[in-house]
Amino acid sequence: MTKQLVQKAPFRADQVGSFLRPARLKKARAQFENNEITADQLKQIEDEEITKLVAKQKEAGLQSVTDGEFRRKWWHFDFLGGLDGVEFYETDKGLSFKGVQTRAHGIKVTGKIGFSTHYMTDHFKFLQSVAGDAVAKFTIPSPNMLFYRATIEDGVYGSDEELFNDLITAYQGFIQALYDEGCRYLQIDDTSWATSFSEEGIVGLKERGLNVEEALKLSARAINESIAKRPNDMLVTMHICRGNFRSTYITSGSYELVSKTIFGGLDVDGLFLEFDDERSGDFEPLRHISRPDLYIVLGLITSKHGLLENADEVKARIEEATKYAPLEQLCLSPQCGFSSTEEGNILTEDEQWEKVRHVVKIAENVWN
């Protein structure tokens, strides 16, 4: 059955979700970590800054608004660490991006994964309360990110199958809880697919005892079963990323190797895809789109630097994409968020908002 929101979201001009943290918020978080302000004081500042952010998103012309992930340090660990059986911990080293490493934080599975409650349902409730006439969009990491990024303590799980069963059930529980609070537009962020884009990534899979086909099957199952019980009027999109930290990335490569799975084997309503530079390959993998109700959000505007793309060149690239998918199934967004971690990409807030307005203006010209 067709989703009731498909005609509205993803929007022709949309966004991935995270925004640069304002200086006031960064200062407050540092004060909190130094025990200079209380958790309630930090939350008050977060609430105020998110309220301002929502207003700015609407002023820029966006029809969906997020909380900018302002309450998070990481786009993925903060959510995953809130599941039952998962804990935060300090690692020996951070994740390696091109030329830089993240801070040495991680998550580990110390008990059976489950969902009882999750603090991020309150995050959505606040976003919903200030969204007004805009659609409140909530972003969470894919269940695949726990499998690929967490340390699993010995003796907790006897097999990947057992782990995935619990993980999927936990996600089903959270998604239903989010729906019950009013969420109708959910985005799942997933960098695990990019593991199959390059030879380096494929070697890493082999070191885990997986080949590409097995990895794709596991990843698709995790997504499809996690969202299988969502109500009919809840739209779910997925963002596939090659890494985004301080304007750097983890991997490169075309969608070709995974294209049959992501365009023909996933039950999501839309896909946010990176197409902002030559690292992402061309549009030819879109030929594997097998559904007329699958929306493709072209990430043609980069969030990694402040230089504005030439509008005519962006329009020409959208036209090029229509060789493989009808214009009616295409949308436009930045290729990723502006601040996947609290450090943020290397551009100014003014440049960030210019990028957002650029997306909106180009979309209006193309689809109107």
Side-chain angles (χ1 to χ4, degrees), residues 27-85:
K27 179 181 178 181
R29 180 148 292 120
Q31 289 176 319
F32 173 71
E33 291 179 354
N34 291 328
N35 296 314
E36 296 170 7
I37 63 173
T38 65
D40 286 342
Q41 288 173 313
L42 174 60
K43 181 182 180 300
Q44 179 63 34
I45 292 171
E46 289 172 342
D47 289 351
E48 292 170 1
E49 292 301 319
I50 289 169
T51 302
K52 294 176 188 175
L53 175 72
V54 167
K56 287 181 179 179
Q57 290 173 78
K58 294 167 74 171
E59 288 167 7
L62 292 173
Q63 294 172 275
S64 68
V65 295
T66 73
D67 63 5
E69 301 179 7
F70 275 9
R71 304 187 200 272
R72 309 183 198 182
K73 293 183 178 181
W74 301 81
W75 66 274
H76 51 354
F77 290 155
D78 291 55
F79 174 83
L80 296 170
L83 296 174
D84 298 345

Side-chain angles (χ1 to χ4, degrees), residues 115-116 121 124 171-183:
F115 168 79
S116 51
T121 56
F124 174 78
Y171 262 74
Q172 289 175 346
F174 176 81
I175 289 171
Q176 182 61 50
L178 205 61
Y179 178 87
D180 292 343
E181 296 296 346
C183 181

Side-chain angles (χ1 to χ4, degrees), residues 180-232:
D180 292 343
E181 296 296 346
C183 181
R184 298 297 182 269
Y185 187 9
L186 176 67
Q187 177 182 297
I188 296 173
D189 298 318
D190 197 337
T191 64
S192 71
W193 301 91
T195 307
S196 303
F197 292 171
S198 66
E199 288 301 322
E200 180 183 5
I202 292 171
V203 169
L205 288 176
K206 290 179 180 177
E207 291 174 350
R208 295 181 67 107
L210 294 169
N211 59 40
V212 173
E213 291 74 21
E214 290 169 334
L216 294 181
K217 185 177 180 180
L218 273 176
S219 294
R221 180 200 164 204
I223 295 295
N224 288 340
E225 294 188 18
S226 290
I227 65 176
K229 296 182 179 181
R230 73 194 186 279
N232 186 59

Side-chain angles (χ1 to χ4, degrees), residues 308-321:
L308 278 187
E309 290 80 357
N310 180 285
D312 289 335
E313 292 177 1
V314 174
K315 293 174 189 176
R317 294 202 68 198
I318 295 172
E319 177 70 22
E320 181 184 351

Side-chain angles (χ1 to χ4, degrees), residues 74 76-77 89-97 100-107 149-151 200 207 245:
W74 301 81
H76 51 354
F77 290 155
Y89 79 112
E90 299 296 317
T91 59
D92 294 332
K93 63 179 182 178
L95 300 174
S96 294
F97 284 69
V100 65
Q101 278 195 347
T102 66
R103 285 171 297 145
H105 292 170
I107 54 170
R149 289 286 182 261
T151 297
E200 180 183 5
E207 291 174 350
F245 174 72

Side-chain angles (χ1 to χ4, degrees), residues 126-359:
F126 181 81
L127 173 64
Q128 181 85 314
S129 74
V130 296
D133 57 355
V135 175
K137 171 180 176 177
F138 203 67
T139 63
I140 62 172
S142 160
N144 294 314
M145 299 315 304
L146 183 139
F147 180 69
Y148 282 95
R149 289 286 182 261
T151 297
I152 315 297
E153 289 195 344
D154 292 341
V156 178
Y157 283 104
S159 67
D160 291 343
E161 176 76 11
E162 185 184 353
L163 183 150
F164 269 90
N165 287 342
D166 284 354
L167 184 57
I168 287 165
T169 300
Y171 262 74
Q172 289 175 346
F174 176 81
I175 289 171
Q176 182 61 50
L178 205 61
Y179 178 87
D180 292 343
E181 296 296 346
C183 181
R184 298 297 182 269
Y185 187 9
L186 176 67
Q187 177 182 297
I188 296 173
D189 298 318
D190 197 337
T191 64
S192 71
W193 301 91
T195 307
S196 303
F197 292 171
S198 66
E199 288 301 322
E200 180 183 5
I202 292 171
V203 169
L205 288 176
K206 290 179 180 177
E207 291 174 350
R208 295 181 67 107
L210 294 169
N211 59 40
V212 173
E213 291 74 21
E214 290 169 334
L216 294 181
K217 185 177 180 180
L218 273 176
S219 294
R221 180 200 164 204
I223 295 295
N224 288 340
E225 294 188 18
S226 290
I227 65 176
K229 296 182 179 181
R230 73 194 186 279
N232 186 59
D233 60 340
M234 185 182 207
L235 183 136
V236 177
T237 60
M238 184 169 72
H239 173 234
I240 296 178
C241 180
R242 293 166 178 79
N244 186 49
F245 174 72
R246 299 294 288 152
S247 296
T248 63
Y249 59 93
I250 291 179
T251 190
S252 302
S254 167
Y255 294 102
E256 184 61 38
L257 195 58
V258 301
S259 59
K260 290 184 179 180
T261 301
I262 65 173
F263 297 125
L266 295 178
D267 298 331
V268 295
D269 301 299
L271 292 166
F272 283 74
L273 303 176
E274 293 185 310
F275 282 113
D276 61 320
D277 59 23
E278 65 281 353
R279 289 190 307 107
S280 306
D282 58 25
F283 297 124
E284 192 171 352
L286 298 179
R287 73 189 186 279
H288 291 294
I289 295 172
S290 60
R291 291 164 38 202
D293 61 345
L294 178 65
Y295 283 72
I296 305 298
V297 188
L298 301 174
L300 298 174
I301 306 298
T302 191
S303 68
K304 293 186 184 296
H305 61 71
L307 181 67
L308 278 187
E309 290 80 357
N310 180 285
D312 289 335
E313 292 177 1
V314 174
K315 293 174 189 176
R317 294 202 68 198
I318 295 172
E319 177 70 22
E320 181 184 351
T322 63
K323 296 177 183 177
Y324 306 100
L327 186 63
E328 293 75 20
Q329 283 181 248
L330 301 178
C331 305
L332 181 67
S333 77
Q335 111 287 346
C336 196
F338 293 94
S339 191
S340 298
T341 67
E342 63 182 341
E343 289 85 358
N345 283 347
I346 304 173
L347 73 167
T348 67
E349 287 188 56
D350 286 343
E351 289 171 334
Q352 165 185 265
W353 292 112
E354 281 297 314
K355 291 276 184 174
V356 174
R357 287 189 288 268
H358 202 43
V359 168

